[in-house]
Amino acid sequence: MKVNFFATLRQVTGQKTIEFDLPDGVTAQGVLDAVVTQYPAMIGMLADEDGKLLGHCHMFINGRGVTYLLDQMDSPVRASDTVNFFPAVGGGCG
């Protein structure tokens, strides 16, 4: 499955898209677990010490935010799905 990383998360992965060999039907949490396992520096950037998605970060499955999916982080992800991770974004002028 293709997993895309945006903004500062790319500094950790070194590239935009990483292919993960995960079983069809893995949960969104399982995808996050795989990311953190492969890139431990994501702890504090994308996930907390318990491996949970940080509240200010966003995970999308095929363009839909996991917080809006019925099963949220327990939602199944198919091998053909695209997953996107976005860190918190700030900036702008008042």
Side-chain angles (χ1 to χ4, degrees):
M1 113 186 13
K2 291 182 181 180
V3 179
N4 297 310
F5 299 90
F6 292 86
T8 56
L9 300 178
R10 287 187 190 167
Q11 296 170 353
V12 175
T13 63
Q15 54 193 329
K16 175 185 176 181
T17 304
I18 306 289
E19 285 279 343
F20 283 85
D21 185 22
L22 297 171
D24 199 49
V26 65
T27 64
Q29 183 63 51
V31 175
L32 179 59
D33 292 343
V35 168
V36 171
T37 297
Q38 187 162 334
Y39 299 100
M42 292 289 187
I43 295 293
M45 290 182 71
L46 186 61
D48 65 18
E49 292 291 330
D50 295 324
K52 304 297 181 200
L53 186 67
L54 292 171
H56 58 273
C57 293
H58 302 282
M59 179 180 186
F60 293 86
I61 300 169
N62 296 327
R64 295 196 63 209
V66 294
T67 56
Y68 299 105
L69 298 177
L70 181 62
D71 296 321
Q72 297 186 0
M73 292 302 285
D74 291 327
S75 298
V77 183
R78 300 181 63 175
S80 60
D81 290 342
T82 299
V83 177
N84 295 318
F85 284 104
F86 291 87
V89 178
C93 297

